[in-house]
Amino acid sequence: MIRSVVRGFGAALPKRVMTNRDMEDVVDTSDEWIVQRTGIRQRYIAGDDETTSSLGEAAARAALDNAGLTPADIDLIICATSTPDNTFPATAVNIQNRLGMTHGFAFDVQAVCTGFVYAVTTADAYIRGGLAKRVLVIGAETFSRILDWNDRTTCVLFGDGAGAIVLEAGEGAGTTADRGVLTAHLRSDGSHKDKLYVDGGPSSTGTVGKLRMEGREVFKYAVGMITDVIEAAFKATGTTSDDLDWLVPHQANRRIIDGSAKKLNIAPEKVVVTVDLHGNTSAASIPLALATAAADGRIKQGDLVMLEAMGGGFTWGAVLLRW
């Protein structure tokens, strides 16, 4: 059977690092408060010359270099983002142009923090359906553009960045020993919209708007929703937490990450955590964490890796793959 195999990975971050100490000069907060409640120690903030598409392009080029490929080898680009350069065209099309591609096709996926999981699942469907052989899957965000910098409960949480992987069609025997995407499980529930949203848009206010979040409400639902999709992935493949080599969660909050791992009996040493370095970069957080752990040698070929995320909507999902 056809499997979607990870061929390469890459990441890109803005030039500016903003530490918690720097944040103290912006709002009434403290390094101790931020670290204790979130685990975040710093984040990257895009400059005037850095956009979602420029960061996405840099991550894409890094992933292509890692894979030993060029843009000419790619059939499809999917970009997960909630902070596009323009209302339209899609940021993926902008990235396609920046890469010098005039072939293939490109589109965006918008599922907020779950965006990269949705994008990987979509790419897998295109590959298994024979519509693409190689797909560049990107998560890219400039969340600093939609933050209310007077709201200390949200502005300390988010950062900017991009990550990417190249998925390539490969042959598998149809067992969990196959390399590539083994199973994917997506969910959404729009009744929770008001708990995490942006208060603007072309059709409603004609403005970009700012991020609004009921933090306690999001936290209340997060662990249960994450557990739901991870357990579904285990059930679908006949695997357990003992079989897992790495959990690569959405990097929103250290307490959510730790709580989910504990509930699922996943050992702390199997969890990739980069929230301290990047903050919450929404759809970019999982590919950034993947690139970090693959680059430093933790994630190796043949490892069983679980990706999971929850985001505004609510949306949530998990992908189980063998690296």
Side-chain angles (χ1 to χ4, degrees):
M1 66 181 297
I2 297 175
R3 295 288 197 191
S4 303
V5 180
V6 178
R7 175 78 181 266
F9 60 87
L13 292 163
K15 294 184 285 290
R16 180 189 174 194
V17 178
M18 189 174 192
T19 67
N20 289 348
R21 296 295 185 193
D22 296 328
M23 194 65 73
E24 291 174 4
D25 295 330
V26 177
V27 288
D28 182 15
T29 190
S30 70
D31 174 65
E32 181 183 14
W33 187 93
I34 297 169
V35 172
Q36 181 182 7
R37 286 164 175 77
T38 70
I40 297 168
R41 296 183 181 277
Q42 64 174 41
R43 72 287 293 148
Y44 289 78
I45 303 297
D48 292 341
D49 61 338
E50 294 169 316
T51 63
T52 296
S53 63
S54 72
L55 293 169
E57 177 201 0
R61 290 190 182 278
L64 288 168
D65 288 346
N66 181 257
L69 299 171
T70 72
D73 299 309
I74 299 300
D75 304 307
L76 165 62
I77 299 173
I78 304 176
C79 181
T81 187
S82 297
T83 51
D85 289 12
N86 306 99
T87 300
F88 71 83
T91 298
V93 174
N94 289 341
I95 294 171
Q96 179 190 32
N97 180 55
R98 296 175 75 103
L99 292 173
M101 282 177 59
T102 55
H103 68 279
F105 60 116
F107 59 86
D108 287 355
V109 167
Q110 213 283 50
V112 201
C113 300
T114 321
F116 188 75
V117 172
Y118 271 57
V120 168
T121 304
T122 304
D124 178 52
Y126 274 88
I127 288 172
R128 288 188 293 107
L131 296 174
K133 183 179 179 182
R134 294 191 188 95
V135 183
L136 193 52
V137 186
I138 305 165
E141 302 282 14
T142 47
F143 252 58
S144 62
R145 308 280 208 254
I146 57 170
L147 297 179
D148 179 349
W149 287 93
N150 294 310
D151 180 1
R152 64 176 183 172
T153 66
T154 58
C155 71
V156 302
L157 303 177
F158 295 90
D160 305 331
I165 61 173
V166 176
L167 285 178
E168 181 179 69
E171 291 188 359
T175 72
T176 57
D178 293 346
R179 286 187 66 200
V181 174
L182 302 177
T183 190
H185 301 267
L186 305 179
R187 310 270 194 271
S188 67
D189 183 350
S191 67
H192 297 289
K193 175 204 164 187
D194 289 343
K195 297 180 179 68
L196 178 55
Y197 68 105
V198 168
D199 62 0
S203 181
S204 56
T205 64
T207 63
V208 173
K210 299 296 182 184
L211 183 145
R212 306 299 176 195
M213 181 173 71
E214 297 177 14
R216 290 181 180 177
E217 286 295 302
V218 174
F219 188 90
K220 185 172 75 174
Y221 286 94
V223 174
M225 288 178 167
I226 290 165
T227 302
D228 160 48
V229 285
I230 291 179
E231 288 180 340
F234 283 145
K235 183 178 180 180
T237 54
T239 56
T240 69
S241 58
D242 292 335
D243 300 310
L244 202 63
D245 291 296
W246 296 104
L247 172 66
V248 184
H250 167 50
Q251 308 289 317
N253 183 300
R254 183 63 189 258
R255 291 193 296 170
I256 293 174
I257 294 170
D258 292 345
S260 302
K262 183 176 181 180
K263 188 171 181 180
L264 291 157
N265 295 315
I266 298 173
E269 58 268 21
K270 291 184 175 183
V271 183
V272 175
V273 179
T274 59
V275 68
D276 55 323
L277 302 174
H278 304 142
N280 183 346
T281 54
S282 191
S285 79
I286 288 177
L288 276 171
L290 271 176
T292 299
D296 66 23
R298 277 178 288 174
I299 296 179
K300 299 177 291 293
Q301 184 171 317
D303 282 355
L304 191 62
V305 181
M306 181 77 75
L307 316 179
E308 62 81 358
M310 175 208 174
F314 289 147
T315 61
W316 64 106
V319 169
L320 184 65
L321 60 86
R322 192 168 296 280
W323 195 255

